[in-house]
Amino acid sequence: MEMPVPNPGVLARKARIVALLRKVLPEDAVIDDPTATRAYECDGLTAYRCPPLAAVLPRTTEEVAAVLKICHAEGVPVVPRGSGTSLAGGALPTADSVILGVARLRDVLETDYDNRFIRVQTGRTNLSVTGAVEADGFFYAPDPSSQLACAIAGNIAMNSGGAHCLKYGVTTNNLLGVTMVLMDGTVVKIGGAHMDAGGLDLLGVICGSEGQLGVVTEATLRILPMPEGARPVLIGFDSNEVAGACVSDIIKAGILPVAIEFMDRPCIRATEAFAKAGYPDCEALLIVEVEGADAEIDTQLALIREIALRHDPVEFRESKSAEESAKIWLGRKSAFGAMGQINDYMCLDGTIPVSELPYVLRRIGEMSKDYGLDVANVFHAGDGNMHPLILFDANKPGDLELCEAFGADILKLCVEVGGCLTGEHGVGIEKRDLMHAQFSTADLEAQMRVKDVFDPSWLLNPAKVFPLDASATRRAA
Amino acid sequence: MQPRTEAELAEAVRGAAGPLRICGGGTRGIGRVVPGELLSLAGISGISLYEPGALTLVAAAGTPLEEIEAALAAEGQMLAFEPMDHRVLLGSFGVPTIGGVVAANVSGPRRVSAVGACRDALLGVRFVDGSGQVIKNGGRVMKNVTGYDLSKLMAGAYGTLGVLSEVALKVLPRPEAETVLTIAGLDAGQAVKAMAAALGSPYEVTGAAYDPARGVHMRVEGLRASVQYRARELAALLAGFGTVALEEDRGASAALWQQIRDVERLAPHQVVVRVSMKPSDLPVILQDVGAGDDYLADWGGGLLWIAASETDGPALLENLQQFCARSGGHATLVKAPEAMRRSLRSFQPEPAALAALTAGLRARFDPRGILNPGLME
Ligand SMILES: Cc1cc2nc3c(=O)[nH]c(=O)nc-3n(C[C@H](O)[C@H](O)[C@H](O)COP(=O)(O)OP(=O)(O)OC[C@H]3O[C@@H](n4cnc5c(N)ncnc54)[C@H](O)[C@@H]3O)c2cc1C
């Protein structure tokens, strides 16, 4: 992966920059020792690593502003960081950058059940936001699988989704306001506890901007009352086409499940060997979850059963209890772990129109043969967000490159059928150079204009999202 | 000007010698009255893709809303954000278009539920910027984080950053049943508490409005058995607030929510201001600023429509905008005689740092300042 050449002027001034940062932060909040900065050399995309010039861990919005003012004046690139779980390399440093970690900003500032919001500092983990309100019967809806570790900061930057977003939406649909520090140290407050934007919807463009517009230090999030209950069904089919048709029929019937997850045979086999969830050995498997009171769940599941039986499933297993539900989810939840046991894998994240599902799965199968690399598919079928896992051997020379080429072909296929490169993981460095496949020069220009306004000197996370050739003149200016 | 294709639209904008007044159906004359040549989108019309099984619809910006709603109804689906028909309140004429709905981010009573606003249903856009460049953003799929979300930026920009040519929307199944619960005789303070109790319950309330003359209305929707169950549970939960009346007839419920959506009650008034705020601020604002000549609250109290005479209008708007500057939220002049729309700031003034960002975006998306110039000031 190509990265810009580090600015030699910045590298040469390391001592001065660190000394300036120490003036505005407590001693333990500035890390510049080369062994210690190694802790920040990568995120969840571990194939790419580069220790930063330094890392800082401020405790307040004011400290964040002070850091940014210095970096702005000194012309030092800044890479914001939450928990470092990005799978796209969004938090990958460059050698001339300062990592600005928000991990120490983790307080709950306000909970308001009457108005159904919570205000938190953004270093707080996703799961602990729900943790702060669940005793009172509320939850924060976006639930990425990484929710134990990932921070609200990263969720906002990546506009993260989760298994339940079919019903509740992704981060952007649950974000009401932010406090954000611009690269020049200006603190802005956007949105709040009210439900829509007053002027332009700046919040809408900040969410998903991958740390390129400002450092978000506080967030006002919508919280929702917890449903009375939830239960899944597991449905097995002997063809992907039929499973896809069943998904479409469920949606058309007017039932809105909270989740519809899909696994194909290679994925079922791998997870079965690992987790022993008792899944049927079939071509395609759906897990459909619905919510409500017990009787409401029964009604919805009866409807789903009726639809599924029309498609001749090889198995229809309805959960009747918490244990049965856990068992149905067990395999799906351990899918990534299971793949990790067998092999190194790369997890893709393209989205396709759901009607293209059978075609895309068939094409992926064909490409898998051509490349000689196995693929397992697990994804959010209700919204077409696919997660093909390509298996490769990191120790075998050339295998990573082969895997990346295969991945790029799959993502281009997603775009070709009317979908997109990334549904929830973000562009980062991973899909940066594929952006030309989805966007014209004018489309990319329009997006970069937004960065020109928020960060005219292009110092915030500059080597991400946009193809390096497209952003070159701006980064050099 | 009335271009018939996106290419003609781009040509028209590129060739424009002066300001353009962008017009979908012309039913939503909101904001400062802008000068300029009329640019009508009515010629760029039609649904280009509708996949009920994928809950997606793509249409040209000038497509009449009615055409879209009819196509959806035929498949038992709907625009879940139930956009208001401004003709009722504003007394305007014309054919509302989907582009106008998106440009004004028009969102009805379901905003308060998980469904969200118009911008939450927007999957992608195509638009022409102020230099006449065609730009696309987002797409037609439900989940998409590829690049910056300019679609959201376009929703609610009233055409000031670009002229929409096409929009892609997420649609939802029409619920099989709906029921309204009404509690009469509550004051605004009690009403907000009752609505908070309902919205904080697991019974999935999809509408919560307060009409000082009629009381609090709350809506539940979904499968018939579910609606019956939830309405019963809600009625029990809310019993402490007063007698709960149930209306289970779907037509009657739909008619009521349409009146609320369209703010029909305030139609006779000359001046109407729309305030978006924290729901629990409703009684506070009514106390501090006054209740105007009449008002109606939606979104659990988070959306206030407040009416005044032509004489009192300017002071009311000023006081509401000051309240919002202190306590959060924003107040917009939605209905007023043209003279007033020329002299007053229709939109809430922004703090300096945000105003600078807004001005910066306008300068880059519309460098000549020709797209509805000044409308949002
Ligand atoms: C096992 C696993 C499962 C996952 N499952 C999901 C899933 O189901 N759904 C999903 O959407 N994602 C998933 N992810 C991806 C990842 O967890 C999300 O992208 C997450 O939101 C990243 O959060 P983070 O705090 O770790 O951010 P980081 O990795 O630290 O940073 C991510 C991006 O946010 C920016 N950023 C960080 N902090 C700030 C800030 N304060 N202000 C501005 N920008 C900032 C960074 O610069 C970077 O571009 C998964 C990852 C893993 C490892």
Side-chain angles (χ1 to χ4, degrees), chain A residues 3 25 39 60 65 125 139 141 183 210 254 280 292 295 306 366 379 393 400 403 431 467:
Chain A
M3 288 300 274
L25 291 178
T60 62
T125 61
F139 74 113
M183 187 63 212
E210 305 202 12
E306 197 186 306
E366 289 163 11
F379 56 90
D393 181 353
L400 172 66
C403 172
K431 281 145 278 188

Side-chain angles (χ1 to χ4, degrees), chain B residues 308-367:
Chain B
S309 65
E310 214 176 318
T311 331
D312 300 340
L316 178 71
L317 178 68
E318 172 72 24
N319 292 339
L320 290 168
Q321 290 187 337
Q322 277 179 11
F323 180 94
C324 290
R326 285 193 307 273
S327 308
H330 52 90
T332 312
L333 182 65
V334 170
K335 180 180 186 183
E338 221 178 275
M340 200 181 283
R341 283 176 53 213
R342 284 182 200 282
S343 62
L344 296 182
R345 279 198 68 119
S346 289
F347 284 74
Q348 176 85 26
E350 292 178 309
L354 289 188
L357 293 173
T358 298
L361 289 170
R362 288 231 165 80
R364 277 170 183 79
F365 280 85
D366 178 22

Side-chain angles (χ1 to χ4, degrees), chain A residues 257-288:
Chain A
V258 263
I260 307 182
E261 299 287 302
F262 186 116
M263 290 164 78
D264 71 355
R265 188 189 288 274
C267 189
I268 299 166
R269 286 208 169 144
T271 53
E272 205 38 40
F274 176 71
K276 308 206 171 28
Y279 285 179
D281 184 26
C282 57
E283 207 55 43
L285 186 152
L286 297 178
I287 298 174
V288 185

Side-chain angles (χ1 to χ4, degrees), chain A residues 36-307:
Chain A
T37 53
R38 289 278 303 271
Y40 300 93
E41 69 181 1
C42 70
D43 57 19
L45 185 68
T46 53
Y48 299 95
R49 293 162 196 267
C50 172
L53 188 79
V56 294
L57 300 170
R59 282 195 171 80
T60 62
T61 299
E62 292 70 36
E63 286 181 0
V64 170
V67 166
L68 288 174
K69 259 190 203 126
I70 292 169
C71 293
H72 186 246
E74 295 292 315
V76 183
V78 171
V79 178
R81 183 179 171 103
S83 304
T85 67
S86 166
L87 292 171
L92 177 75
T94 49
D96 57 359
S97 69
V98 166
I99 283 278
L100 195 168
V102 291
R104 288 180 180 172
L105 285 151
R106 45 194 333 141
D107 289 346
V108 171
L109 303 170
E110 191 181 357
T111 33
D112 183 335
Y113 296 121
D114 278 348
N115 293 302
R116 297 168 303 286
F117 72 84
I118 183 169
R119 196 157 56 85
V120 298
Q121 290 183 315
T122 55
R124 196 168 181 89
T125 61
N126 174 294
L127 193 61
S128 73
V129 171
T130 288
V133 295
E134 67 187 344
D136 296 300
F138 283 80
F139 74 113
Y140 173 60
D143 57 343
S145 320
S146 51
Q147 67 182 155
L148 189 62
C150 67
I152 292 300
N155 292 176
I156 293 172
M158 293 317 205
N159 188 14
S160 303
H164 291 78
C165 63
L166 189 56
K167 177 166 175 190
Y168 296 112
V170 295
T171 303
T172 193
N173 313 112
N174 292 277
L175 177 68
L176 295 170
V178 294
T179 298
M180 182 171 93
V181 189
L182 302 179
M183 187 63 212
D184 66 4
T186 311
V187 178
V188 293
K189 286 189 194 311
I190 300 171
H194 52 285
M195 282 170 257
D196 63 358
L200 297 179
D201 190 355
L202 300 178
L203 199 57
V205 76
I206 286 164
C207 192
S209 63
E210 305 202 12
Q212 294 197 306
L213 300 185
V215 177
V216 180
T217 58
E218 289 178 21
T220 304
L221 307 169
R222 174 174 80 174
I223 50 173
L224 295 168
M226 268 192 258
E228 290 182 90
R231 255 187 287 139
V233 281
L234 179 154
I235 321 171
F237 294 98
D238 53 18
S239 100
N240 290 326
E241 273 89 352
V242 178
C246 182
V247 169
S248 160
D249 283 355
I250 291 172
I251 290 174
K252 269 196 284 198
I255 310 164
L256 196 63
V258 263
I260 307 182
E261 299 287 302
F262 186 116
M263 290 164 78
D264 71 355
R265 188 189 288 274
C267 189
I268 299 166
R269 286 208 169 144
T271 53
E272 205 38 40
F274 176 71
K276 308 206 171 28
Y279 285 179
D281 184 26
C282 57
E283 207 55 43
L285 186 152
L286 297 178
I287 298 174
V288 185
E289 181 158 279
V290 296
E291 282 181 349
D294 245 3
E296 291 179 277
I297 293 177
D298 287 340
T299 323
Q300 295 176 76
L301 292 187
L303 271 171
I304 292 173
R305 178 190 199 94
E306 197 186 306
I307 294 164

Side-chain angles (χ1 to χ4, degrees), chain B residues 19-298:
Chain B
L20 296 171
R21 204 150 45 86
I22 307 154
C23 176
T27 66
R28 304 176 208 274
I30 299 169
R32 195 184 289 276
V33 178
V34 295
E37 187 179 352
L38 187 74
L39 174 59
S40 166
L41 271 292
I44 303 179
S45 179
I47 297 170
S48 53
L49 179 142
Y50 174 30
E51 283 184 10
L55 302 176
T56 39
L57 178 135
V58 182
T63 311
L65 192 58
E66 219 173 286
E67 185 179 326
I68 290 175
E69 287 180 332
L72 292 172
E75 294 288 339
Q77 298 190 336
M78 62 176 183
L79 293 176
F81 57 91
E82 49 186 340
M84 163 178 185
D85 182 347
H86 278 82
R87 288 176 297 188
V88 179
L89 178 66
L90 303 184
S92 52
F93 300 95
V95 179
T97 62
I98 193 65
V101 166
V102 171
N105 185 30
V106 184
S107 316
R110 279 194 206 90
R111 171 64 188 102
V112 77
S113 71
V115 164
C118 169
R119 53 91 93 173
D120 295 298
L122 188 62
L123 303 175
V125 295
R126 294 178 64 90
F127 64 94
V128 174
D129 74 3
S131 336
Q133 276 276 0
V134 176
I135 292 158
K136 72 165 182 302
N137 190 262
R140 54 176 268 222
V141 288
M142 295 287 181
K143 266 171 93 189
N144 186 348
V145 296
T146 323
Y148 294 175
D149 192 346
L150 302 184
S151 305
K152 295 239 168 26
L153 200 55
M154 298 303 293
Y158 288 87
T160 62
L161 298 178
V163 189
L164 292 169
S165 50
E166 184 183 274
V167 298
L169 293 162
K170 172 182 174 179
V171 301
L172 282 182
R174 250 164 73 98
E176 176 183 285
E178 63 179 276
T179 287
V180 200
L181 294 84
T182 300
I183 311 175
L186 301 186
D187 67 25
Q190 296 163 316
V192 163
K193 287 209 174 73
M195 291 190 283
L199 291 163
S201 78
Y203 308 120
E204 297 193 4
V205 170
T206 66
Y210 174 59
D211 175 333
R214 296 207 273 181
V216 166
H217 303 296
M218 278 158 295
R219 176 175 63 185
V220 279
E221 300 172 291
L223 298 174
R224 187 157 293 108
S226 274
V227 169
Q228 278 167 0
Y229 163 77
R230 291 187 201 150
R232 209 170 48 233
E233 294 293 315
L234 264 177
L237 179 79
L238 298 171
F241 289 96
T243 311
V244 183
L246 292 191
E247 173 56 82
E248 293 181 340
D249 180 72
R250 184 177 177 170
S253 169
L256 173 69
W257 288 100
Q258 185 170 329
Q259 284 169 19
I260 294 168
R261 181 195 80 180
D262 294 344
V263 202
E264 199 177 299
R265 183 189 160 79
L266 303 189
H269 297 269
Q270 287 297 304
V271 176
V272 177
V273 182
R274 176 188 185 277
V275 189
S276 175
M277 68 205 163
K278 187 160 83 178
S280 61
D281 276 348
L282 177 67
V284 186
I285 210 169
L286 293 170
Q287 179 79 41
D288 283 17
V289 179
D293 287 348
D294 197 358
Y295 69 93
L296 180 73
D298 195 356

